[in-house]
Amino acid sequence: MDLKEAIAGRITQLCSERRLNPSSLAYLCGMDRSTIYSILGTKSKNPEIATIKKICDGLDITLAEFFDSPEFNCLEPEIK
């Protein structure tokens, strides 16, 4: 799993726990729906940390809580 897949998976997991769809998440975060959909899809290859922070703010969690998940412990090395 790469970083982009881990981020998309974590957002999907958090939305599922809160029974949110991507459009509802975008509204909570004050973001455009296309931004959320591009992160969850294949369009956004490397979401910015500022964007992830806005998502965390909308979900009322910290960045530490966002990244405290098994997905981020099994990432492929970025340097090969």
Side-chain angles (χ1 to χ4, degrees):
M1 176 180 298
D2 66 14
L3 180 59
K4 195 277 184 212
E5 292 169 331
I7 291 169
R10 182 66 169 143
I11 292 169
T12 300
Q13 175 190 25
L14 291 165
C15 283
S16 178
E17 289 172 2
R18 290 163 173 77
R19 298 180 187 198
L20 296 172
N21 62 34
S23 295
S24 299
L25 176 62
Y27 177 79
L28 285 175
C29 301
M31 300 171 72
D32 198 349
R33 290 183 309 161
S34 64
T35 302
I36 299 295
Y37 282 105
S38 68
I39 293 170
L40 296 176
T42 58
K43 192 172 183 179
S44 175
K45 301 290 184 201
N46 191 15
E48 292 185 16
I49 194 70
T51 303
I52 297 169
K53 174 69 167 102
K54 285 181 184 178
I55 292 170
C56 291
D57 291 347
L59 294 172
D60 197 29
I61 63 172
T62 65
L63 281 169
E65 289 170 313
F66 182 87
F67 287 110
D68 185 23
S69 180
E71 293 100 335
F72 298 104
N73 294 330
C74 303
L75 294 176
E76 297 175 15
E78 293 292 325
I79 300 173
K80 298 179 181 182

